[in-house]
Amino acid sequence: AKAITISNDPAKRQKILVVDDEQFMVHTLSKILEVLGYDVISAFGGREAFEKYMAEKIDLVVSDVHMPDMNGIELMTSIKSKNPEFPVILVTGYGVEDARKTAGEYHADGFLGKPFRIEELRQIIERTLPSNAAA
């Protein structure tokens, strides 16, 4: 297997849409993902996120489950109705077991309970993003 090199070529960097209604979470996740070598677009809620998904070329969505205007499940369902293969990772801080069940029922591509370690986030993203499949 060849090592994954983080590209500094902006055209090759994968773009992740981070969605959470808490500004702190969006900010923290965005910083972590930028350090890991991804381009990040952020949205504060499902509706805004879906508009950005439609408008931009995005490779992956990392979304909180519990949001007031349109929750992570609704966001994921909307995205997958347009593109069933599109990868969505759900993040939640409440009822991790319930959320894992929900994520499974709705076919989330990945699932993280808060608080999570950066390493867990990195692994789940590398597993989920299509281009990181062994070539």
Side-chain angles (χ1 to χ4, degrees):
K2 54 182 193 293
I4 294 167
T5 52
I6 289 176
S7 175
N8 288 323
D9 173 357
K12 289 201 183 77
R13 283 163 65 110
Q14 286 171 303
K15 203 175 272 187
I16 298 179
L17 175 59
V18 170
V19 194
D20 201 307
D21 58 327
E22 293 170 41
Q23 206 150 5
F24 173 76
M25 264 315 285
V26 169
H27 185 74
T28 306
L29 264 174
S30 301
K31 281 275 161 272
I32 294 168
L33 292 169
E34 282 164 5
V35 168
L36 292 175
Y38 298 103
D39 279 344
V40 180
I41 295 177
S42 53
F44 300 98
R47 219 166 259 135
E48 183 189 338
F50 189 67
E51 284 167 14
K52 288 187 173 175
Y53 164 78
M54 294 299 286
E56 308 254 0
K57 168 92 185 71
I58 290 164
D59 297 295
L60 171 72
V61 169
V62 177
S63 175
D64 189 36
V65 173
H66 298 270
M67 298 180 291
D69 69 333
M70 178 192 209
N71 70 34
I73 306 286
E74 293 166 326
L75 171 63
M76 181 174 79
T77 307
S78 305
I79 289 172
K80 287 188 179 287
S81 69
K82 298 247 175 275
N83 179 358
E85 298 302 302
F86 190 87
V88 178
I89 293 172
L90 295 176
V91 181
T92 184
Y94 316 95
V96 168
E97 279 316 307
D98 286 353
R100 183 169 286 134
K101 197 172 111 256
T102 306
E105 273 166 27
Y106 289 95
H107 309 294
D109 300 275
F111 171 77
L112 273 175
K114 292 178 201 167
F116 49 81
R117 298 195 320 279
I118 292 176
E119 185 54 25
E120 292 174 273
L121 178 67
R122 187 182 65 76
Q123 286 174 358
I124 202 164
I125 288 175
E126 287 182 2
R127 269 205 310 273
T128 309
L129 268 171
S131 79
N132 286 335

